[in-house]
Amino acid sequence: MYVVPDQSGILAVVTGANSGTGKETVRRLAGAGARVVMAVRTVEKGERARAEILTEHPGAQLEVRSLDLADLASVKQFARGMSAEGTPIDLLVNNAGVMAPPSRLTTTDGFELQMGSNYLGPFALTVRLLPLLLAADAPRVATMSSGAANFGKIHFDDLQWDRRYRAILSYAQSKLANLMFSQQLATIAADRSWSLLSTGAHPGYTRTNLQTAGASLGTGRPTLVHRMLTTLNFLPSQGVEQGAEPLLYAATSQDAVAGGYYGPSGRFGLVGPTTTTKVTRRALDDAANLRLWNESERLTGVALPASVTR
């Protein structure tokens, strides 16, 4: 079991903090002494998760705040609230996501739901929070990807799947985008001599509510992917305590490196203790990574602040 090092004095922001790997990440960070802002779409669910964690860690410093990554106005409002306080952010954990809704859904801004919630929303959030991150002594951004990134492809000619929606391929694209983002952010940090450490992680096959809950999924019914995995039951899986460890390692380990990618070391890369994971070659394409970053700035209207130089 990975032991999170002392996080006393650390301010962390964790998205999707009310369930699954996000909730477990909050629990472990809080247990190690961090002050954690739990960024959630549904505040009531966030408050219930906060209360549960406080029963285990009565002295935990936890605050629930509203954030809908499927709505760029919500992302802006959240970032403005953090900026108004002016407290440096030591750690941003981009954890929230949705998986494979059977029909094409869209975000408030008209993006395909998975590309919008899993990637464009976190992209906009990270860039908006960069001034606060770079005000910290040793800031980190840890971004959750997925093993699905290995068969993902960025369809620059149809990023929003307007022509022919495919649930799993759309999910894979969004998770490849997450991994490319973590790589490009690491490159930008190095080019600009920032102290920021950008890392990525994937949870293997972790039993959570990812397939049935998330921003605007609406039905609450299991997706085809969830039904298939549950019915066939042929893949090794693990609980959320183990599944959150790659993300926690990426977020807190002193051995994590810029552009590092971490996941389970066991069967098929789906279960087991955390190890360094090979980055798919499509996320090592510098030109594609930069192209995706530039397109993301255009789509979200959020760009790197010119005044940030640290």
Side-chain angles (χ1 to χ4, degrees):
M1 184 69 74
Y2 174 68
V3 177
V4 176
D6 181 39
Q7 299 293 295
S8 299
I10 295 295
L11 173 59
V13 174
V14 180
T15 67
N18 63 277
S19 65
T21 54
K23 180 180 174 183
E24 179 65 14
T25 296
V26 172
R27 186 181 73 83
R28 305 266 281 274
L29 288 174
R35 173 192 165 200
V36 185
V37 173
M38 301 172 66
V40 298
R41 187 173 66 95
T42 306
V43 171
E44 292 77 11
K45 292 180 180 180
E47 291 292 355
R48 287 198 293 270
R50 177 179 180 272
E52 290 176 21
I53 296 170
L54 285 173
T55 62
E56 182 178 353
H57 302 291
Q61 303 175 73
L62 302 175
E63 179 185 357
V64 177
R65 296 197 184 193
S66 176
L67 172 65
D68 185 353
L69 291 166
D71 183 350
L72 291 178
S74 176
V75 172
K76 184 177 182 179
Q77 183 176 12
F78 178 90
R80 279 183 170 177
M82 297 296 299
S83 298
E85 295 178 7
T87 305
I89 296 173
D90 301 279
L91 171 63
L92 171 61
V93 181
N94 288 317
N95 163 78
V98 297
M99 183 178 183
S103 59
R104 184 182 181 276
L105 301 174
T106 57
T107 69
T108 301
D109 304 283
F111 304 132
E112 185 275 319
L113 181 63
Q114 295 182 96
M115 194 61 175
S117 296
N118 295 355
Y119 172 64
L120 290 171
F123 171 89
L125 177 67
T126 303
V127 175
R128 286 193 179 278
L129 292 180
L130 271 175
L132 291 179
L133 284 160
L134 295 174
D137 291 333
R140 292 194 186 204
V141 176
T143 300
M144 184 72 95
S145 182
S146 165
N150 290 331
F151 61 85
K153 181 180 179 181
I154 303 298
H155 296 268
F156 283 108
D157 62 338
D158 189 20
L159 282 176
Q160 310 308 327
W161 295 85
D162 290 307
R163 291 200 291 268
R164 193 178 182 189
Y165 176 74
R166 291 291 181 267
I168 289 298
L169 295 182
S170 172
Y171 178 72
Q173 174 184 257
S174 72
K175 287 301 175 178
L176 173 59
N178 287 146
L179 188 53
M180 293 169 69
F181 165 75
S182 71
Q183 296 295 306
Q184 183 62 19
L185 183 58
T187 297
I188 291 170
D191 290 346
R192 300 194 177 198
S193 298
W194 290 347
S195 58
L196 183 144
L197 184 70
S198 174
T199 57
H202 79 86
Y205 182 18
T206 297
R207 298 184 296 274
T208 72
N209 66 343
L210 176 62
Q211 297 90 356
T212 58
S216 302
L217 272 181
T219 65
R221 296 191 302 270
T223 64
L224 174 63
V225 177
H226 182 70
R227 293 197 301 271
M228 179 184 70
L229 294 176
T230 301
T231 302
L232 298 180
N233 197 27
F234 64 94
L235 293 175
S237 64
Q238 60 191 5
V240 71
E241 296 84 1
Q242 186 74 59
E245 291 201 351
L247 187 60
L248 283 162
Y249 186 95
T252 67
S253 175
Q254 295 303 309
D255 295 326
V257 299
Y261 186 41
Y262 306 98
S265 60
R267 291 181 61 197
F268 310 121
L270 296 177
V271 295
T274 298
T275 189
T276 300
T277 298
K278 183 179 180 181
V279 177
T280 178
R281 61 179 178 79
R282 284 177 171 159
L284 296 174
D285 183 333
D286 293 339
N289 291 352
L290 178 59
R291 182 181 179 186
L292 179 63
W293 184 285
N294 290 338
E295 182 65 7
S296 303
E297 288 190 346
R298 186 188 70 80
L299 289 169
T300 63
V302 181
L304 287 172
S307 60
V308 175
T309 57
R310 181 174 176 178

